[in-house]
């Protein structure tokens, strides 16, 4: 019942002997579908010590020219995969945006010497963790030390951060991760979103990831909020962006690696108000109501205010004595 392995190559050199044809050399060999199968084979042999001489795995190898690579390979993935659902986002892994952001994440270190891991391809974090597992005397993984699990986010999560904060369309995010991602990529491809791939952009995205994480934890710990937590999360983030005009002191969050008490109090107050508002505003299915733009418009009409402006929402940041304007990336 195993689908085996689907791979692509740039070229194949075929030889023959008494038993028939065989592959002498494969140029540019790359697995397209069958990553779990390959990982299982590797683990079974290396970890469990099982003899694989009698194991036979079917493989389909397709010769694809470099010019057709980006067009053909995603289609092979779609049609070859019947065991696991292939998410729409999986086929955007090689998009220029994600490749550039991945490269950016690999070059920037936090003030405490760690790195945020951007999972451009599904399962990439776990794969890197396995590959770089170097346990010393203290039995700690060097990879875990550099990029612990809480310092990781996927491309779907990044799309949600930006759709809620930069585009302020939380109702799209409430329709699900895949629909949200598709809309985000439409904006990227349609040039509505033109990021500058510099350290500030990464720090800005990381700061939004931290705000999302803290907001989620606050909502989860609030016993009054009994449901619709993901919807409350997306609306609360978007409202903070709306009322702060998108200004975010990402350098402050990046340096402190935390949020101010003022912002945490604001999140607690607003998230509860959002929850009560969506319950009151819906006349039927609350989940469906949260997917509508009208729900978002009704929330923005309500009186969400704050008396003390959190330092994360100010326009200016002093660095080395000079005021620097924090640009709104929307």
């Amino acid at each position: 019942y195993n689908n085996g392995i689907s791979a692509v190559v740039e070229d194949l050199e075929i030889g023959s002997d008494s038993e028939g044809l065989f592959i002498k050399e494969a140029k540019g060999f790359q697995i397209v579908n069958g990553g779990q199968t390959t990982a299982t084979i590797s683990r079974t042999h290396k970890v469990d010590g099982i003899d694989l001489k009698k194991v036979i795995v079917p493989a389909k190898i397709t010769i694809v020219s470099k010019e057709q690579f980006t067009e053909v390979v995603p289609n092979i993935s779609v049609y070859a995969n019947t065991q696991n659902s292939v998410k729409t986002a999986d086929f955007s892994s090689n998009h220029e945006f994600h490749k550039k952001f991945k490269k950016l994440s690999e070059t920037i270190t936090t003030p405490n010497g760690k790195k945020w891991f951007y999972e451009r391809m599904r399962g990439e974090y776990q794969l890197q963790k396995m590959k770089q597992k170097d346990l010393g005397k203290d039995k700690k993984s060097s990879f875990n030390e550099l990029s612990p699990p809480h310092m990781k986010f996927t491309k779907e999560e990044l799309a949600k951060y930006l759709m809620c904060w930069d585009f302020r369309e939380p109702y799209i995010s409430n329709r699900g991760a895949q629909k949200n991602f598709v809309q985000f990529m439409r904006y990227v491809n349609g040039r509505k979103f033109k990021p500058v791939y510099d350290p500030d952009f990464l720090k800005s995205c990381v700061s939004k990831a931290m705000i999302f994480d803290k907001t989620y934890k606050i909502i989860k710990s609030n016993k009054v909020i009994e449901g619709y937590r993901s919807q409350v999360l997306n609306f609360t983030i978007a409202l903070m962006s709306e009322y702060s005009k998108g200004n975010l002191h990402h350098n402050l969050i990046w340096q402190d690696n935390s949020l101010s008490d003022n912002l945490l109090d604001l999140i607690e107050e607003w998230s509860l108000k959002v929850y009560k508002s969506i319950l009151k505003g819906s006349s039927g299915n609350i989940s469906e109501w949260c997917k509508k733009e009208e729900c978002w418009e009704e929330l923005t009409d309500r009186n969400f205010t704050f008396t003390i402006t959190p330092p994360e929402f100010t326009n200016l940041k002093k660095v080395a004595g000079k005021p620097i304007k924090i640009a709104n990336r929307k």
Side-chain angles (χ1 to χ4, degrees), residues 159-172:
K160 183 171 68 171
Y161 304 156
L162 297 176
M163 284 293 288
C164 288
W165 186 276
D166 291 60
F167 295 107
R168 298 172 200 159
E169 295 182 357
Y171 51 93
I172 300 291

Side-chain angles (χ1 to χ4, degrees), residues 70-136:
T70 55
E71 179 184 351
V72 174
V73 170
N75 288 331
I76 294 176
S77 292
V78 172
Y79 295 110
N81 198 311
T82 58
Q83 286 177 301
N84 302 301
S85 62
V86 180
K87 297 179 179 179
T88 307
D90 291 337
F91 304 116
S92 296
S93 298
N94 289 320
H95 191 283
E96 181 185 24
F97 170 82
H98 301 292
K99 289 167 79 172
K100 285 184 176 180
F101 192 82
K102 176 67 176 177
K103 189 175 180 181
L104 189 62
S105 69
E106 292 173 336
T107 58
I108 299 173
T109 306
T110 66
N112 60 353
K114 297 185 184 295
K115 283 186 179 179
W116 280 80
F117 191 96
Y118 179 59
E119 192 170 71
R120 181 171 67 90
M121 295 181 286
R122 187 156 46 136
E124 185 181 21
Y125 180 83
Q126 195 63 27
L127 182 62
Q128 289 297 321
K129 187 177 176 181
M130 290 173 62
K131 284 172 65 176
Q132 298 183 31
K133 195 170 185 181
D134 179 24
L135 299 179

